Amino acid sequence: MTETVDMSEDSERAVEIRNALTDKLRADGMITSEVVERAFRTVPRHLFVPAGTSLEVAYNADDSVATKTDEHGVIISSVSAPFIQARMIEQARLGPGMSVLEIGSGGYNAALLAEVVGPTGRVVSVDIDPEVTERARALLESTGYGDAVTVVLGDAEQGVPEAGPFDAIIVTVGAWDIPPAWLRQLGDSGTLVAPLLMNGISRSIAFRREADHLVSTSAEVCGFVAMQGEGEHAERVFLLPDAHGRAVKLRFDDGAPDDPSLLDGVLATERTEVWSGVTIKSGVSFADLHLWFAGFLPGFCKLAVDEGTDLADERGSWFPFGVVRGDSFAYLAVRRALEGAGVEFGARAYGMHGIQAATAMVEQIQAWDRQARGGPAPTFAFWPSGSDHTHLPPGTAVFPKTHGLATTSWPALG
């Protein structure tokens, strides 16, 4: 049985669950410093989520809590999952007396930041949505942080010119690019932490300046609601209808096919499959494989499916990553292996040239397994327009952006 949130006070039970959450984040390595641990034990997260949310949901380490949706039910504002909030604050290397700009408001994360930088520090939080900023101000005021955080209504693409520079900038929405205003507002030795999208795959990356560009100091797998305003980047989505009027959706961040009509009727073709011989034990992360696809698999896309499609009925045997080759597409699939203690990676495909599409995906699975799996973690960089990126190391994937280039380098390929 769950307990509903008491919005009037920080109850003894809420303190108990909050401490249990903090213990877990510390044990999992998401919290590594005493100042961040103290912040998580202090700020009442349950008072920043919608009324009626259970304490168990409010303090679940791995789940965000939606605070606003659009007319289609898509989440456009949320209180992020505690694990990624803790990790991003640690990535920013914040401490007492420092200044920080938060891009994307909600209230709770700003309160955590205020605890970390203390009374001699400075926290500014900016958001484009007036409902979000009004809610954040009210919640910060009611929880005692109204004077510790300055909430600004504005498009973060332009930064907050009157408030910089900052020792750290933490972006709490999915960022497709890094606009010049953020770099202007970042102190020379400051840290920018942003959930950067690279061909549809995101990482929370901590960047610091090195000569004319930014280099990563750490990265974490993450997912965030998308940026709004000038920094918004719309996906291209192609619908592949089946015989019953339901659809498979192919979602392209970049590199969408020039002639999507070639895929008309593709779901009516016979499905084919190719297997890689690459296995993995159950419960082991393979998130770097997704990132490898994003950088080295031309035609890479993400998949979503309607209920009632064949793919929906097969959930659990595939993952939402695919590739398009002309009139055919393939998607990442798994089948039982290692005597039931793991799976083998492969690709299933539709289309007249499905075997070629599946083979292209399988070849990249094998390349990742052979050249990068288990090796040093990839590193990231951002090269603003005008910087010199002519001498990138071998094994670097390049993601063109409006304001420069993002790159991912795999040390094992150097």
Side-chain angles (χ1 to χ4, degrees), residues 97-181:
M98 298 179 74
S99 59
V100 56
L101 172 63
E102 178 193 43
I103 294 176
S105 298
Y108 173 66
N109 195 65
L112 291 172
L113 295 171
E115 287 286 346
V116 171
V117 303
T120 61
R122 181 166 55 106
V123 180
V124 177
S125 181
V126 60
D127 199 285
I128 196 172
D129 188 329
E131 290 184 9
V132 170
T133 54
E134 288 173 14
R135 181 179 186 275
R137 284 194 195 97
L139 291 172
L140 289 163
E141 186 67 35
S142 68
T143 52
Y145 294 96
D147 293 334
V149 179
T150 301
V151 179
V152 176
L153 174 64
D155 191 330
E157 185 81 358
Q158 306 305 323
V160 187
E162 66 276 12
F166 295 94
D167 297 307
I169 298 175
I170 298 181
V171 184
T172 63
V173 289
W176 187 81
D177 202 354
I178 297 178

Side-chain angles (χ1 to χ4, degrees), residues 361-379:
M361 175 165 272
V362 163
E363 286 175 349
Q364 290 303 326
I365 295 169
Q366 293 168 336
W368 165 77
D369 179 64
R370 185 173 60 250
Q371 301 177 67
R373 183 181 181 182
T379 59

Side-chain angles (χ1 to χ4, degrees), residues 14-168:
V15 173
E16 178 185 344
I17 294 181
R18 181 161 68 252
N19 282 330
L21 165 67
T22 308
D23 291 342
K24 175 177 172 54
L25 294 174
R26 188 92 202 203
D28 291 345
M30 297 295 104
I31 292 177
T32 56
S33 65
E34 290 184 4
V35 68
V36 175
E37 178 181 351
R38 186 167 59 251
F40 270 80
R41 294 195 189 280
T42 303
V43 181
R45 178 179 169 92
H46 66 287
L47 300 184
F48 289 88
V49 299
T53 306
S54 71
L55 287 170
E56 288 79 5
V57 169
Y59 287 102
N60 186 299
D62 300 320
D63 290 339
S64 61
V65 180
T67 55
K68 184 176 180 180
T69 58
D70 66 14
E71 65 273 18
H72 305 295
V74 176
I75 297 172
I76 57 175
S77 186
S78 67
V79 181
S80 300
F83 89 89
I84 195 61
Q85 290 177 309
R87 185 68 181 121
M88 292 177 78
I89 295 172
E90 295 284 15
Q91 285 183 287
R93 302 178 180 180
L94 286 169
M98 298 179 74
S99 59
V100 56
L101 172 63
E102 178 193 43
I103 294 176
S105 298
Y108 173 66
N109 195 65
L112 291 172
L113 295 171
E115 287 286 346
V116 171
V117 303
T120 61
R122 181 166 55 106
V123 180
V124 177
S125 181
V126 60
D127 199 285
I128 196 172
D129 188 329
E131 290 184 9
V132 170
T133 54
E134 288 173 14
R135 181 179 186 275
R137 284 194 195 97
L139 291 172
L140 289 163
E141 186 67 35
S142 68
T143 52
Y145 294 96
D147 293 334
V149 179
T150 301
V151 179
V152 176
L153 174 64
D155 191 330
E157 185 81 358
Q158 306 305 323
V160 187
E162 66 276 12
F166 295 94
D167 297 307

Side-chain angles (χ1 to χ4, degrees), residues 47-387:
L47 300 184
F48 289 88
V49 299
T53 306
S54 71
L55 287 170
E56 288 79 5
V57 169
Y59 287 102
N60 186 299
D62 300 320
D63 290 339
S64 61
V65 180
T67 55
K68 184 176 180 180
T69 58
D70 66 14
E71 65 273 18
H72 305 295
V74 176
I75 297 172
I76 57 175
S77 186
S78 67
V79 181
S80 300
F83 89 89
I84 195 61
Q85 290 177 309
R87 185 68 181 121
M88 292 177 78
I89 295 172
E90 295 284 15
Q91 285 183 287
R93 302 178 180 180
L94 286 169
M98 298 179 74
S99 59
V100 56
L101 172 63
E102 178 193 43
I103 294 176
S105 298
Y108 173 66
N109 195 65
L112 291 172
L113 295 171
E115 287 286 346
V116 171
V117 303
T120 61
R122 181 166 55 106
V123 180
V124 177
S125 181
V126 60
D127 199 285
I128 196 172
D129 188 329
E131 290 184 9
V132 170
T133 54
E134 288 173 14
R135 181 179 186 275
R137 284 194 195 97
L139 291 172
L140 289 163
E141 186 67 35
S142 68
T143 52
Y145 294 96
D147 293 334
V149 179
T150 301
V151 179
V152 176
L153 174 64
D155 191 330
E157 185 81 358
Q158 306 305 323
V160 187
E162 66 276 12
F166 295 94
D167 297 307
I169 298 175
I170 298 181
V171 184
T172 63
V173 289
W176 187 81
D177 202 354
I178 297 178
W182 299 358
L183 302 184
R184 289 195 299 268
Q185 296 219 259
L186 184 66
D188 290 342
S189 60
T191 302
L192 168 66
V193 181
L196 188 63
L197 279 161
M198 295 161 289
N199 203 8
I201 303 299
S202 66
R203 293 290 185 273
S204 171
I205 306 172
F207 287 111
R208 305 202 84 176
R209 298 182 194 271
E210 184 175 291
D212 62 351
H213 63 289
L214 303 176
V215 296
S216 65
T217 58
S218 63
E220 186 73 33
V221 176
C222 67
F224 279 85
V225 298
M227 182 81 68
Q228 300 178 52
E230 288 185 42
E232 182 178 1
H233 178 78
E235 292 181 320
R236 293 187 65 186
V237 181
F238 299 143
L239 300 182
L240 308 180
D242 66 11
H244 306 289
R246 302 178 182 90
V248 172
K249 304 176 182 69
L250 304 184
R251 300 163 46 204
F252 290 87
D253 176 74
D254 198 6
D258 294 329
D259 186 2
S261 67
L262 292 174
L263 293 166
D264 290 350
V266 68
L267 294 180
T269 63
E270 183 177 355
R271 192 182 72 184
T272 56
E273 55 189 42
V274 177
W275 297 97
S276 68
V278 176
T279 59
I280 191 168
K281 291 182 179 179
S282 300
V284 176
S285 172
F286 53 95
D288 276 356
L289 174 59
H290 314 157
L291 187 64
W292 181 278
F293 284 155
F296 299 120
L297 182 61
F300 175 75
C301 63
K302 298 175 74 174
L303 274 69
V305 299
D306 289 344
E307 291 298 329
T309 59
D310 290 342
L311 268 69
D313 294 340
E314 297 169 11
R315 280 198 178 97
S317 69
W318 60 275
F319 294 87
F321 305 102
V323 60
V324 169
R325 285 289 188 274
D327 59 3
S328 305
F329 80 97
Y331 54 96
L332 180 63
V334 293
R335 64 182 179 184
R336 285 180 176 270
L338 303 176
E339 298 182 347
V343 295
E344 178 188 2
F345 292 116
R348 298 191 181 110
Y350 287 91
M352 296 296 292
H353 299 89
I355 289 292
Q356 288 91 325
T359 298
M361 175 165 272
V362 163
E363 286 175 349
Q364 290 303 326
I365 295 169
Q366 293 168 336
W368 165 77
D369 179 64
R370 185 173 60 250
Q371 301 177 67
R373 183 181 181 182
T379 59
F380 304 86
F382 185 82
W383 305 78
S385 298
S387 59

